[in-house]
Amino acid sequence: MAHLQSNKDLISTGMKEFNVLLNQQVFNDPLISEEDMMTVVDDWVNFYVNYYKQHMKGEQQEQVGALQELQQQLDILAKSFLVKYKDFLKSQEHPNHKLPSF
């Protein structure tokens, strides 16, 4: 049972740290496309999951479950962030000006 609580604490810590990372982002020129931001955020999620994977406790089934929970929670935070970024990009568009897509 101690492993379960330890993993829950790690998930909570990971979510808090990931949220801090997202809240530190400043959107200014040059802006990147929505697709590129999705790639960046997906890389961040993978980085956090891989980092916390090393610290999960318990049997493999417990660790897998905890990592899945962490992944789901980070995906929720990431999705919310990407919606805000998409709204920001839309607010920066001008009728005759589109963001470059690389």
Side-chain angles (χ1 to χ4, degrees):
M1 198 58 137
H3 293 303
L4 184 60
Q5 185 59 46
S6 174
N7 290 343
K8 285 185 178 192
D9 291 344
L10 284 172
I11 292 167
S12 178
T13 299
M15 289 173 54
K16 288 176 188 173
E17 290 177 355
F18 189 71
N19 207 31
V20 167
L21 172 68
L22 295 178
N23 288 333
Q24 288 176 341
Q25 301 312 303
V26 177
F27 309 138
N28 51 13
D29 288 327
L31 298 174
I32 65 172
S33 70
E34 180 182 356
E35 294 80 17
D36 290 343
M37 182 60 83
M38 289 172 60
T39 300
V40 169
V41 172
D42 189 49
D43 286 347
W44 290 340
V45 168
N46 289 330
F47 175 82
Y48 272 76
V49 170
N50 286 326
Y51 174 80
Y52 281 99
K53 181 179 184 176
Q54 303 169 41
H55 301 285
M56 293 295 173
K57 307 284 186 219
E59 295 180 21
Q60 185 174 3
Q61 184 177 356
E62 290 174 299
Q63 292 179 24
V64 168
L67 285 171
Q68 288 174 340
E69 176 69 18
L70 177 62
Q71 177 88 42
Q72 290 172 345
Q73 295 302 318
L74 296 182
D75 285 342
I76 290 168
L77 294 171
K79 184 175 181 179
S80 175
F81 172 81
L82 290 169
V83 166
K84 290 176 189 175
Y85 187 72
K86 181 179 181 178
D87 290 343
F88 172 77
L89 288 179
K90 285 183 179 182
S91 75
Q92 300 301 303
E93 286 183 2
H94 300 286
N96 296 325
H97 176 59
K98 291 284 183 188
L99 289 173
S101 181
F102 299 97

